[in-house]
Amino acid sequence: MLKQYQIRNYNFRLIFYVSALTMIGISVIGSAQKAVQSKQILGLLLGLFVMVVVSVIDYSFILRFNWLIYAFNIGLLSLITFHVFGSKGGGAVRWIEVAGFRFQPSELSKVLLILFFSWFFGKYYEKINTLPMILISGVLIFIPWYMIEDQPDLSTSIVVAVIFLALLFLGGLSYKIIIGVLAVLVPAGTLFIYLILQPNQQILDRYQWVRIMAWLQPEKYAKDAYQQQNSIMAIGSGQLWGKGLNNDTAFSVKNGNYIPEPQTDFIFAVAGEELGFVGGAAILVLLLLIVIECIWIGRRAKDLSGRLICGGVAAWIGFQTFVNICVVTGLMPNTGLPLPFVSYGLTSLVSLFIGIGLVLNVGLQPLKYRMEGF
């Protein structure tokens, strides 16, 4: 469970990147919604503690509980699916609330699924290109994916699907299979897009369809497009250096309450307005460096499971960042995904720190470290 690690293998750069990014996020959150800043500070302290604890526990030991991890994940999601402790918010039931404690199982699910499939593909990598293994993998991911999508939480279900596909690819999926699947998915996806754009479509929920139409035709659906349009305006108004944190200028999009709940999914709009291009670029550079560090550590992992853990965390942070930035800049429809380490949300923040802790542990056990017998 615990090993005598060498301090030289501890990646302090990664810790610095995530800590600096989270502190920037806390500063911007305080400007966007002062009332929740103290909770995010608590999330940082709790996240750092959990990260350090996880980083010194051998991930190979954790992976021994593979099916328990999967069952625990399904159990948590079941509490939402069957409305046992479900707490409603924003028209959806995505939170568990007990004795005043509230958290979102779908965020923790990302970490748990990375752990489970890192073990699963690491154990059965020789069979990963066989039809039975692909079907079994599909069933195993479909169950939690459906439970998340049914909340409804389409955006998180998309992230979960991308993480799974990244792990499947990194696990050794044949390029021939990938090309064959793409040959089917591209025309199928085109047909899907055509069908959901029809006014009488029955595929997506009404609110999901409206978000897409508001993105495509903001003038016609101005009531639903205003948040994204105001976000673009806020980012542009920040120019090079921004208007400053906690400013009281009357020309601020944030101060005018033109972006509802700016401390969550649209936190980058506040950062762009108050920190300008320089501040926004610093946030993106830190996120890029975090993803690069995860990939670099994964390349030196002692086994396939370690590489998959690092690759899964990198795919999670990278894809979620890409989608969030595309949404706040108007390049994609509004999806409701937080910006990693920056947006307000304790469950999301602590889950990310757990993921980083796992990556750090993989880095403590590189291939060379194992071969030397330490």
Side-chain angles (χ1 to χ4, degrees):
M1 178 177 176
L2 297 177
K3 291 185 176 181
Q4 189 174 354
Y5 302 113
Q6 291 189 350
I7 193 69
R8 64 184 174 85
N9 289 318
Y10 209 79
N11 195 313
F12 290 100
R13 286 193 309 273
L14 182 56
I15 297 175
F16 171 77
Y17 296 151
V18 297
S19 299
L21 182 61
T22 306
M23 286 189 284
I24 292 174
I26 289 172
S27 300
V28 180
I29 287 169
S31 181
Q33 184 61 265
K34 189 68 176 178
V36 300
Q37 187 180 38
S38 59
K39 293 183 179 180
Q40 194 73 354
I41 294 174
L42 176 62
L44 170 60
L45 297 176
L46 179 59
L48 287 172
F49 173 76
V50 174
M51 178 192 71
V52 172
V53 171
V54 172
S55 71
V56 295
I57 300 176
D58 187 350
Y59 71 89
S60 299
F61 173 79
I62 297 176
L63 295 183
R64 292 179 187 176
F65 302 94
N66 39 79
W67 287 107
L68 284 177
I69 291 172
Y70 184 82
F72 178 68
N73 182 36
I74 298 300
L76 280 180
L77 294 174
S78 297
L79 296 178
I80 297 293
T81 302
F82 300 108
H83 306 286
V84 178
F85 293 108
S87 175
K88 191 171 184 179
V93 181
R94 302 174 185 170
W95 291 266
I96 292 176
E97 186 169 359
V98 180
F101 180 72
R102 192 168 184 253
F103 74 102
Q104 192 171 353
S106 59
E107 289 295 330
L108 185 59
S109 181
K110 299 170 186 176
V111 180
L112 297 177
L113 289 173
I114 288 174
L115 282 171
F116 174 76
F117 282 106
S118 292
W119 164 80
F120 188 78
F121 292 142
K123 181 177 178 63
Y124 300 106
Y125 71 95
E126 293 180 346
K127 302 178 181 179
I128 198 168
N129 290 303
T130 63
L131 182 59
M133 185 54 59
I134 292 175
L135 292 177
I136 292 172
S137 303
V139 171
L140 289 172
I141 190 60
F142 178 78
I143 296 172
W145 177 88
Y146 177 79
M147 297 174 79
I148 293 172
E149 196 279 333
D150 188 57
Q151 294 178 5
D153 194 353
L154 180 61
S155 56
T156 302
S157 67
I158 293 174
V159 174
V160 167
V162 169
I163 291 173
F164 170 75
L165 292 175
L167 292 174
L168 189 60
F169 171 74
L170 294 173
L173 188 66
S174 170
Y175 283 99
K176 294 180 180 179
I177 296 177
I178 296 174
I179 294 173
V181 171
L182 288 176
V184 175
L185 288 183
V186 171
T190 304
L191 177 62
F192 175 77
I193 293 173
Y194 171 78
L195 292 175
I196 64 175
L197 292 180
Q198 305 308 307
N200 59 346
Q201 65 86 33
Q202 301 295 321
I203 301 174
L204 298 178
D205 292 334
R206 172 69 182 176
Y207 83 94
Q208 295 169 341
W209 180 81
V210 168
R211 283 185 176 184
I212 294 175
M213 297 311 297
W215 174 62
L216 293 173
Q217 303 176 20
E219 301 84 7
K220 185 177 179 180
Y221 296 87
K223 181 181 178 181
D224 300 284
Y226 76 98
Q227 188 177 25
Q228 202 166 31
Q229 295 301 307
N230 290 339
S231 171
I232 298 170
M233 186 188 308
I235 294 172
S237 69
Q239 299 185 41
L240 183 61
W241 297 105
K243 300 172 183 177
L245 290 171
N246 303 298
N247 69 78
D248 57 359
T249 175
F251 300 101
S252 168
V253 176
K254 182 210 70 180
N255 293 341
N257 294 320
Y258 292 115
I259 303 177
E261 300 293 328
Q263 73 276 13
T264 55
D265 306 334
F266 281 82
I267 192 66
F268 191 76
V270 180
E273 182 178 54
E274 301 195 339
L275 301 179
F277 174 81
V278 173
I283 290 174
L284 295 182
V285 168
L286 284 171
L287 284 162
L288 176 61
L289 290 174
I290 291 171
V291 172
I292 291 174
E293 285 295 331
C294 290
I295 295 173
W296 182 80
I297 292 174
R299 287 175 60 87
R300 300 174 62 246
K302 68 178 184 180
D303 56 21
L304 178 57
S305 292
R307 291 195 292 274
L308 291 176
I309 288 174
C310 295
V313 174
W316 171 15
I317 297 173
F319 178 75
Q320 198 160 304
T321 298
F322 173 77
V323 173
N324 180 275
I325 299 302
C326 284
V327 168
V328 298
T329 55
L331 297 176
M332 289 178 64
N334 192 353
T335 59
L337 277 178
L339 185 61
F341 300 104
V342 183
S343 293
Y344 170 70
L346 269 65
T347 311
S348 173
L349 184 61
V350 174
S351 298
L352 285 163
F353 272 104
I354 292 174
I356 295 299
L358 291 168
V359 171
L360 288 170
N361 185 259
V362 173
L364 283 172
Q365 305 180 68
L367 182 60
K368 180 182 177 182
Y369 182 68
R370 183 188 67 174
M371 292 177 63
E372 290 176 350
F374 288 97

